[in-house]
Amino acid sequence: MGAALPNLLIIGAAKCGTTSLHFYLDQHPDVFMARPDGGPGAPKEMRFFWRDDWRERLGWYEQQFDPSAAVRGEATPSYTHFPYLPDVPSRIHSILPEVKLIYLVRDPIERIVAHWAQTQEDGDRMPLEEALTDYERPDHRLVCASRYATQVEQYLEYFSADQLLVLDMHDLSARRREAIEKTFGFLGVDPHYRSPEFESRLNTRRDKQALTRGGALLWDRVLVPAGHTLPVGVRQRAAPSLRRLLSRSVITPPLRDSTVLALKGLLAPEVERLRGQTGMEFETWSM
């Protein structure tokens, strides 16, 4: 493929449509969106700039992008998990000072619940309310990613405002054509490009499956070690079906009213600052 650095990063937020946007952008003939293991079945997240050894892996990183593409991008939502994952904006700026940044957001409390559902699929078994213990800590893993204004402020210390596009997940869902057109325009490629794939929506909560206890033991002790002996392409094709056979649907319980009120009290100032930063109303949000 050659070697090149990206000029686009989707920096988050987690559970705000980043998988779908990555997919939509990749349909454009002038855009190349990287995946760490190659093919279309691979996970999208490079998770590069939050690694302690990121500088040592720079050569690997450069190999993930097509140098012939006008726009070369990657998507890692955890790039906006400050302070749980610190120093990411400064690391990005040190090698990509001209990069364009896309930040997807949604109702902050909805995002927290969706993030919890993802942790269940990833193997965490902690109940929702228990997972929100000490929610007021700035580095709380689930809550910090909904501190949108704080995340924006970290990036604006290093990048100009015209390098950052903030999109509401609601617009990507309800006004998808306009949102995609706006994104293409921001990236400087043909904004009128259309694809039938733009009707797809990926990685929704109804797709979430968590391994059963027995399934987790079989997966971790037998199937994962066996999978390492297989070619990457075979592993990517077989793994989702095998994992689903060993899984159950993730059921998301409602938050207690007291928890909702506490989270709103914490996050409402963040939303107001975000409105000021972006000039956007976020009229469908709960605060």
Side-chain angles (χ1 to χ4, degrees):
M1 184 184 297
L5 286 169
N7 51 20
L8 162 67
L9 298 178
I10 300 175
I11 56 175
K15 314 319 301 173
C16 291
T18 59
T19 298
S20 292
L21 184 62
H22 181 286
F23 177 73
Y24 301 149
L25 292 179
D26 207 29
Q27 307 309 306
H28 198 292
D30 295 324
V31 179
F32 174 87
M33 297 300 294
R35 292 179 180 272
D37 293 317
K44 71 177 188 304
E45 298 181 22
M46 305 297 286
R47 303 176 182 180
F48 178 70
F49 286 103
W50 59 255
R51 299 176 58 99
D52 290 337
D53 63 347
W54 67 280
R55 286 195 179 278
E56 289 77 11
R57 291 174 59 85
L58 186 58
W60 170 86
Y61 191 57
E62 291 176 319
Q63 294 296 320
Q64 308 308 308
F65 302 95
D66 183 351
S68 68
V71 175
R72 304 173 299 277
E74 64 122 321
T76 300
S78 52
Y79 289 167
T80 44
H81 282 189
F82 175 86
Y84 181 75
L85 295 173
D87 304 323
V88 171
S90 62
R91 292 174 179 181
I92 293 172
H93 186 266
S94 70
I95 61 170
L96 303 175
E98 305 300 323
V99 72
K100 292 192 174 182
L101 307 162
I102 299 176
Y103 187 34
L104 281 152
V105 293
R106 69 188 289 187
D107 182 280
I109 296 177
E110 288 181 1
R111 195 217 63 80
I112 289 169
V113 174
H115 195 162
W116 171 84
Q118 180 66 58
T119 67
Q120 299 299 291
E121 183 174 68
D122 294 342
D124 191 338
R125 294 184 175 274
M126 186 176 294
L128 176 57
E129 292 284 348
E130 186 178 341
L132 289 172
T133 302
D134 299 328
Y135 67 89
E136 71 279 2
R137 286 195 344 259
D139 64 347
H140 190 287
R141 181 186 176 195
L142 294 181
V143 179
C144 74
S146 280
R147 295 176 182 260
Y148 301 136
T150 294
Q151 305 305 325
V152 168
E153 288 160 359
Q154 305 309 305
Y155 279 87
L156 292 183
E157 286 189 21
Y158 297 94
F159 301 95
S160 63
D162 61 5
Q163 288 177 260
L164 174 66
L165 175 66
V166 177
L167 291 175
D168 187 348
M169 178 182 169
H170 176 78
D171 292 338
L172 189 64
S173 178
R175 295 185 282 272
R176 187 169 305 159
R177 177 171 294 187
E178 293 88 340
I180 292 174
E181 185 173 311
K182 180 179 181 179
T183 304
F184 286 153
F186 171 71
L187 297 176
V189 298
D190 178 9
H192 305 296
Y193 177 78
R194 298 286 183 266
S195 167
E197 299 293 349
F198 292 167
E199 300 306 313
S200 304
R201 188 177 175 200
L202 284 65
N203 201 26
T204 59
R205 194 185 307 175
R206 65 176 176 270
D207 298 330
K208 297 303 173 193
Q209 299 277 317
L211 289 167
T212 64
R213 291 188 182 277
L217 288 172
L218 181 60
W219 182 264
D220 292 338
R221 297 182 182 181
V222 178
L223 295 178
V224 169
H228 289 314
T229 67
L230 300 173
V232 171
V234 174
R235 187 164 70 242
Q236 289 172 353
R237 289 191 296 272
S241 296
L242 287 172
R243 188 180 179 99
R244 191 167 291 272
L245 286 172
L246 301 173
S247 299
R248 54 172 175 79
S249 295
V250 174
I251 305 300
T252 304
L255 284 170
R256 291 197 295 258
D257 290 345
S258 59
T259 303
V260 172
L261 286 173
L263 289 172
K264 284 185 175 182
L266 178 73
L267 296 173
E270 290 273 349
V271 173
E272 285 308 305
R273 296 207 326 273
L274 183 68
R275 288 183 172 120
Q277 291 164 341
T278 63
M280 299 167 68
E281 291 298 323
F282 307 111
E283 65 276 2
T284 64
W285 292 11
S286 62
M287 65 185 83

